[in-house]
Amino acid sequence: MAEDKEVKHVPVVTPDSLKFLETYINNPSPTGYEWEGQKLWLDYIKPYIDEHYVDNYGTAVGVINPEADYKVVIEAHSDEISWFVNYITKDGLIYVVRNGGSDHQIAPSKRVNIHTDKGIVKAVFGWPAIHTRNGEKEEAPTLKNIFLDCGCTSKEEVEALGIHVGCVITYEDEFMVLNDRYYVGRALDNRVGGFMIAEVARLLKENNKTLPFGLYIVNAVQEEVGLRGAEMIANRIKPNVAIITDVTHDTQTPMINKVVQGDLASGKGPVVSYAPSVHTALNKLLIQAAEQAEIPFQRQASSRWTGTDTDAFAYSNDGVVSALISLPLRYMHTTVEMVHKEDVDNVIRLIYESLLKIEAGQDFRYIK
């Protein structure tokens, strides 16, 4: 099937699934503080799995057929980018540092939640009024000049609210559906991935599918700071095969160079990647699954590495056969990340159909 062939769309996400997605996206899960989101995810997936466990740093794993020797992982990451309180001035203003790849340019005028032991403290990223910047060279937002205002006028007043250096900060923007076509939210990167792998588990259960291997549905922590959760859990599970899902860039909006970033579009299907960490034989299985199920798909060349948990799994345990299925996303690392509803359905379908093609003990080696 050609990647751009017109096919009838098969919906997957149900009204109940969508309610969970909205709750899950709206719940903050900053890197290093993912546990509340992991609780929500486990509660959702428990009816569809045989057992589950959580590791020391919070990566959650649902298992189907835990006694099987041959192990297949489907994985996403649960953490979202955020900020840390770094410095509190004597006047009660707060300077920040990144927790993950937070974008300083979108910060001014954003409302945030500062997470403290006393609860959430509201604050805003302040910025000088346009009237006060006339006649001078415009200063762009940088880590050195963006700051939070929580309505206090002294450091002591800030600290009395429970705020201290190291408190984590998230944006308060919430989930919405745009034009009945796009899901929009603060942390679709990559909690939508956790949602999609949970939906795969639901489909397997509802369709009474029996897999000939152990399936490990992994929602990993700390991807945004270097694939750390995936590194830890790969060594614990020691899988034979890993299919990772994450987001990639929709390159159809202004100021994106397709020569550099490739030509990918929301609504045109899941994206299969080409990179050294992506195993060619497993990638071919994914493409065959897409073609046979008439799932539209796109292709992306990721050069030296994918920048996703695929790399962590592939290079663990003497080499794990790994591949990446990506979801096109607009406006990554902003508060209005946007994905197409049909792409979400089709990523779920592609992972599901690919699992049905994997055999117990399957040998993916190039030379046997």
Side-chain angles (χ1 to χ4, degrees), residues 15-32:
D16 284 344
S17 301
L18 187 58
K19 285 179 189 173
F20 165 69
L21 177 61
E22 180 171 1
T23 301
Y24 186 47
I25 294 299
N26 289 346
N27 178 83
S29 284
T31 301

Side-chain angles (χ1 to χ4, degrees), residues 108-218:
S109 83
K110 297 300 295 182
R111 303 179 188 203
V112 302
N113 294 321
I114 305 176
H115 300 261
T116 80
D117 290 340
K118 295 183 177 181
I120 298 293
V121 176
K122 297 288 184 179
V124 298
F125 272 108
W127 194 246
I130 190 170
H131 317 68
T132 67
R133 308 196 309 264
N134 288 345
E136 299 178 13
K137 182 181 178 183
E138 287 277 4
E139 216 178 325
T142 70
L143 269 180
K144 294 178 181 177
N145 64 18
I146 59 172
F147 62 90
L148 288 175
D149 188 332
C150 62
C152 295
T153 56
S154 70
K155 180 178 181 180
E156 292 74 21
E157 197 178 352
V158 171
E159 291 175 337
L161 294 174
I163 298 170
H164 56 75
V165 170
C167 281
V168 72
I169 303 150
T170 57
Y171 294 114
E172 66 172 28
D173 301 64
E174 295 194 337
F175 180 87
M176 69 175 178
V177 179
L178 191 64
N179 194 28
D180 196 31
R181 184 175 296 158
Y182 290 95
Y183 302 134
V184 178
R186 184 193 70 255
L188 293 173
D189 177 11
N190 180 35
R191 284 210 289 286
V192 71
F195 168 72
M196 292 188 297
I197 58 176
E199 288 292 272
V200 173
R202 177 177 67 81
L203 290 187
L204 290 167
K205 183 79 168 181
E206 292 179 353
N207 293 331
N208 296 312
K209 296 295 183 182
T210 300
L211 298 173
F213 47 77
L215 180 64
Y216 292 72
I217 303 145
V218 177

Side-chain angles (χ1 to χ4, degrees), residues 58-112:
T59 290
V61 183
V63 189
I64 298 171
N65 301 337
E67 303 304 320
D69 292 330
Y70 197 77
K71 299 176 182 179
V72 176
V73 160
I74 57 175
E75 191 260 15
H77 74 84
S78 61
D79 58 316
E80 66 177 289
I81 56 171
S82 55
W83 302 97
F84 281 125
V85 173
N86 187 50
Y87 168 59
I88 305 169
T89 73
K90 65 181 178 57
D91 298 318
L93 299 175
I94 299 168
Y95 287 83
V96 299
V97 291
R98 292 187 178 99
N99 185 17
S102 302
D103 188 346
H104 51 272
Q105 291 205 27
I106 71 160
S109 83
K110 297 300 295 182
R111 303 179 188 203
V112 302

